[in-house]
Amino acid sequence: MGTAKAAPDFCPAGAELDIPRAIKTAPDGVLAVDKPLGVTSHDVVARLRRLAGTRKVGHAGTLDPAASGVLVAGIGRGTKLLQYLQGQRKTYATRVCFGVETDSEDAEGTITATRGATLADLDNLESLLSGWRGQVMQVPSAFSALKIRGRRAADRIRAGEAVRMEPRPITIYELCTPGEPKAGELAGTPVVYQDLTVTCSAGTYIRALGRDLGNQLGVGAHLAALRRLLVGSFDASGTTIANASFPAFSLQELSQMVAAGEELPVVSLDNICRELFPSCQVTPEVLTALGYGQRPEISTETLGDLAKEQLDTPARIYGLHLPGEKISLLASPVEGKWRSVLSLQSR
C-alpha cells in the first residue's frame, strides 16, 4: 500500500559525508554523536572508528535508521562503561501520524491500514496521555532487536513467523504535546500529525507508544519521525537542558575537527565516572589489593561516610581514586569490604 515518509526537520547533517581518517588515536572515554537519519547505529560506529583512529569503538542504545539524535559511543577503555550508560533516562521528540498504520509502526514500514483521522479524533488525547505517565506495562514493537528464543523478533517476522511480544514494565516520567495537532494527508488518507515529548526509562519503545495511542483513539497511528534529544547527561537538543552536561556532536562537526587536526571532544573516563557514580578516596594499598583480586577492608571512617550517604548496598558502585587523582577503579562495598567491579587502568 506504499511507504510512509519521515519528517525532514528531525534530521541533522552527516549521512552522506566523506569521513576523514584520524592521524592520531583519540583519548579513551565517551563521545555522543548526533546520529543522522538513513544510517544504522553500526554505520555510525564505523565512521567513528575512522575519526578516532581506533577499532575499539562501541555504542550504548541502538537507534533505528529512521531515528536521529543522541547515540552514546565508547572509545578505547570507554567501551567498558557502555553497560552503565545503557540504562540512562532518555528524552525523545516524536511526530505521530494518526490515521495510518504501518507494519513496522514507523515511517519506514509498509502501510497496512488507512483508517483516517480528523482533528476531532484527538479531542481525548490529553486524557489518554495521563494514563501513560508513571510506571506502566508496554508491549514492545515486534519490529525490534529484542530476541525471542535467541533470534531477533524483527528477523522472525521477515521470515514469515508469527511473533508474540510479552508486555514489560517501563516508566514514563514526562509525556506532553509541545504544539497543536495539524491535519494532513498521507496515501490519499486524511491524517493528523501530533508532536510529543517523551522522557522515559531505558527499554521504552516510542513506536509502541504511538501505536497504542492510535489504537486507543480508534484511528491507528505510526511514528512519522523520531529524535532522541537526551541520554542521561548527553544532549542533542540544541538548547540548554537541566542536568545535561555533555553536548552531542554531528558527524559533520566531528569530521571538521579531525580534518583540522583537532582532538575529538571525548568525555574523559574520570569525568564520565564522576557523572555516573559517587566517588570515594582510598589509599594506594586498597587499589593495589583490588588489582590483585583481593577484597580489602573498608576503613571505619569510610564506612561511616558511606552510611551517612545511605549508599552502602551490594548493588551500589563507587569510583575509587587516590587523593587528588582520577578515578581508576569501580568497586562495590560488600559486608565491610571492597569488591572490584571494573578496572579503568591502562595495561
Side-chain angles (χ1 to χ4, degrees):
M1 294 179 67
T3 300
K5 299 298 182 183
D9 57 330
F10 279 68
C11 183
E16 305 299 331
L17 283 176
D18 183 18
I19 303 296
R21 186 182 296 276
I23 298 176
K24 60 181 180 179
T25 303
D28 296 334
V30 177
L31 176 64
V33 178
D34 190 351
K35 188 189 90 64
L37 293 176
V39 297
T40 66
S41 297
H42 181 73
D43 291 335
V44 173
V45 168
R47 287 161 168 79
L48 273 181
R49 285 171 176 161
R50 287 182 62 91
L51 292 168
T54 177
R55 291 198 55 79
K56 196 170 183 182
V57 178
H59 71 82
T62 301
L63 273 177
D64 294 332
S68 67
V70 178
L71 183 70
V72 180
I75 298 174
R77 285 177 290 155
T79 56
K80 296 180 178 181
L81 297 174
L82 294 178
Q83 60 184 307
Y84 305 108
L85 290 163
Q86 289 178 338
Q88 296 281 289
R89 184 179 298 194
K90 300 171 176 65
T91 296
Y92 295 88
T94 185
R95 181 164 297 160
V96 183
C97 176
F98 290 96
V100 169
E101 298 172 77
T102 72
D103 56 1
S104 62
E105 300 166 1
D106 65 9
E108 295 292 291
T110 300
I111 295 174
T112 56
T114 52
R115 301 195 218 178
T118 65
L119 291 173
D121 289 320
L122 270 66
D123 285 346
N124 295 327
L125 179 61
E126 287 295 339
S127 61
L128 288 178
L129 295 182
S130 64
W132 283 98
R133 298 185 186 107
Q135 293 185 343
V136 294
M137 298 296 290
Q138 182 189 61
V139 177
S141 296
F143 268 82
S144 68
L146 291 177
K147 290 188 176 181
I148 299 177
R149 299 186 303 278
R151 190 179 178 190
R152 296 197 325 164
D155 293 337
R156 290 185 177 276
I157 290 178
R158 294 187 183 100
E161 296 184 37
V163 171
R164 178 181 176 180
M165 307 299 291
E166 296 296 330
R168 307 190 311 172
I170 62 168
T171 302
I172 296 181
Y173 304 98
E174 178 189 16
L175 178 58
C176 61
T177 54
E180 296 296 320
K182 296 180 180 179
E185 184 178 299
L186 180 63
T189 302
V191 297
V192 177
Y193 294 97
Q194 175 64 66
D195 288 354
L196 299 175
T197 300
V198 188
T199 299
C200 55
S201 61
T204 302
Y205 279 80
I206 308 301
R207 281 182 290 149
L209 176 62
R211 171 203 68 201
D212 292 339
L213 290 172
N215 288 334
Q216 286 179 307
L217 290 171
V219 296
H222 71 276
L223 292 195
L226 179 65
R227 180 161 172 75
R228 188 189 282 166
L229 299 176
L230 200 66
V231 175
S233 297
F234 294 93
D235 175 24
S237 69
T239 60
T240 302
I241 294 181
N243 301 322
S245 303
F246 312 115
F249 297 86
S250 70
L251 289 173
Q252 185 176 45
E253 291 172 318
L254 296 174
S255 295
Q256 290 171 347
M257 293 176 192
V258 170
E262 299 174 11
E263 192 173 85
L264 291 179
V266 177
V267 181
S268 70
L269 297 175
D270 182 67
N271 283 345
I272 195 62
C273 282
R274 291 180 187 276
E275 191 74 22
L276 292 172
F277 313 108
S279 61
C280 183
Q281 180 176 299
V282 295
T283 64
E285 291 76 17
V286 168
L287 289 182
T288 299
L290 286 168
Y292 282 116
Q294 300 171 6
R295 294 182 55 186
E297 297 279 348
I298 303 175
S299 69
T300 303
E301 181 182 358
T302 301
L303 279 174
D305 292 338
L306 300 185
K308 290 177 184 177
E309 296 177 9
Q310 297 182 339
L311 296 175
D312 188 15
T313 65
R316 192 62 182 180
I317 296 175
Y318 289 80
L320 304 189
H321 63 91
L322 298 176
E325 296 191 15
K326 297 178 180 179
I327 290 173
S328 59
L329 190 142
L330 304 181
S332 291
V334 180
E335 298 178 349
K337 296 181 179 181
W338 286 117
R339 179 177 62 83
S340 178
V341 174
L342 179 66
S343 174
L344 298 173
Q345 295 175 324
S346 58
R347 296 184 183 275

